[in-house]
Amino acid sequence: MHDQFDVTLEDSDLLGEVELTTNLIIAASESDDHLSPAEIDQILGVVPEPRQES
């Protein structure tokens, strides 16, 4: 008999967010001071937008 509640759930977006959060926690715990916004961006893999000249 098949159990309708026996399912495997995997949310790839959630797993990615957990990984990013874990990376931030590890970096913060290894740092002697607060992480700068630039350090946080680097950990999260944020790429700054190129400046546009006016």
Side-chain angles (χ1 to χ4, degrees), residues 26-42:
I26 291 169
S29 69
E30 292 176 346
S31 177
D32 293 332
D33 202 2
H34 294 286
L35 295 174
S36 70
E39 290 172 314
I40 293 171
D41 286 349
Q42 182 181 8

Side-chain angles (χ1 to χ4, degrees), residues 11-51:
D11 184 335
S12 59
D13 291 336
L14 177 60
L15 291 173
E17 290 178 19
V18 168
E19 181 179 2
L20 291 173
T21 303
T22 302
N23 291 344
L24 280 175
I25 292 169
I26 291 169
S29 69
E30 292 176 346
S31 177
D32 293 332
D33 202 2
H34 294 286
L35 295 174
S36 70
E39 290 172 314
I40 293 171
D41 286 349
Q42 182 181 8
I43 293 164
L44 296 178
V46 174
V47 178
E49 293 183 20
R51 290 186 173 192

